[in-house]
Amino acid sequence: MMASASEIDIAPFIDHALLVPTATTAQVEQWCEDADRFQFAAVCLHPCHVRQATNLLHNKRPKVCTVIGFPYGATTSAVKLYEAADAVENGAIELDVMINIGWVKEGKSNDLHREIAEIREETGQTIKAILEMALLTEAEKKLAAEICMDAGAAFLKTSTGLYGGATVADVRLLKELARDRVEIKASGGIRTVEQALELIVAGATRIGTSRGPDLVRQHASLEEV
């Protein structure tokens, strides 16, 4: 049975994200320190920062996650595969892969399946398929989710945050489609602990946010009330 919102320890759900184009090495260090301090699930960084994060988090609990084909998913499959392999070589063990939205809309199921499957098979790491739910119809959401699960994705991720944030409705839909075969990552626009808790109760097993420490502090304040 799912714990009530007040009973949830929020920190282990958080992928502490630093995905702004202005990210610096000093910020990466801070994000890794925060992730270790609060015992977040992972840090999620641009590929160029993976090696630094891997060194900083060596033998620590938080995992090193990066993004592939981010944020549009429109690079070629060969480029995504190389980027993924390079990230893993540098220490990433979770890969948030942006799918090709155009392929979903054109019904190019085989191309989408092949791309995710190749990255999964070649790297052997955890794949979180970013679906960019705000750009998809209900039918397209279902199609993309089924293809990505069949191709070996371990997570379905709601969005990059560029076109709309995670919604409770989308998390519930993904949870229903997943039928516990894969996990759900809610990401985009999550700024308050109330939002995060609603998404977790709806079925999210990871919360992608740049405000991890703020959410933990907000949660602590709720518990004191």
Side-chain angles (χ1 to χ4, degrees):
M1 180 179 295
M2 170 65 73
S4 68
S6 62
E7 297 173 324
I8 293 169
D9 180 7
I10 198 170
F13 287 85
I14 292 174
D15 280 8
H16 194 30
L18 179 61
L19 296 172
V20 294
T22 54
T24 65
T25 56
Q27 286 177 302
V28 172
E29 184 173 359
Q30 183 64 59
W31 254 244
C32 290
E33 287 178 1
D34 288 341
D36 183 41
R37 174 186 174 191
F38 293 104
Q39 293 293 280
F40 294 149
V43 291
C44 188
L45 310 159
H46 288 299
C48 64
H49 297 303
V50 165
R51 175 57 64 187
Q52 180 190 2
T54 298
N55 291 336
L56 290 168
L57 292 173
H58 181 64
N59 286 334
K60 298 183 185 296
R61 181 181 184 275
K63 299 172 183 177
V64 177
C65 170
T66 195
V67 287
I68 304 299
F70 191 84
Y72 302 119
T75 50
T76 66
S77 295
V79 168
K80 286 184 185 177
L81 184 58
Y82 180 87
E83 185 177 32
D86 184 63
V88 171
E89 179 69 21
N90 285 325
I93 61 173
E94 295 189 346
L95 305 171
D96 286 22
V97 181
M98 185 63 223
I99 68 170
N100 189 313
I101 298 297
W103 285 353
V104 178
K105 292 192 170 293
E106 291 183 272
K108 293 184 175 179
S109 302
N110 291 338
D111 291 333
L112 179 57
H113 185 283
R114 185 182 305 109
E115 181 171 275
I116 295 297
E118 285 181 350
I119 294 171
R120 172 70 182 90
E121 291 164 7
E122 290 295 322
T123 66
Q125 302 301 326
T126 297
I127 305 299
K128 304 192 197 97
I130 310 173
L131 305 185
E132 205 67 277
M133 301 282 274
L135 299 183
L136 302 177
T137 65
E138 289 299 298
E140 289 165 350
K141 291 173 185 179
K142 294 175 182 179
L143 175 66
E146 291 294 345
I147 292 170
C148 290
M149 287 189 289
D150 189 58
F155 283 78
L156 299 174
K157 178 176 172 180
T158 59
S159 55
T160 61
L162 291 181
Y163 302 98
T167 68
V168 168
D170 278 338
V171 169
R172 285 176 177 158
L173 174 62
L174 292 179
K175 179 69 173 176
E176 178 184 341
L177 294 172
R179 299 195 300 277
D180 295 325
R181 290 175 287 170
V182 301
E183 298 188 61
I184 310 300
K185 178 174 175 179
S187 183
I190 304 170
R191 298 180 176 86
T192 70
V193 70
E194 288 84 2
Q195 283 178 291
L197 292 171
E198 285 179 359
L199 293 164
I200 291 169
V201 171
T205 52
R206 291 283 185 92
I207 298 293
T209 178
S210 62
R211 303 183 182 225
D214 290 341
L215 297 189
V216 172
R217 295 184 188 104
Q218 289 175 35
H219 195 231
S221 297
L222 286 179
E223 291 176 334
E224 291 171 2
V225 174

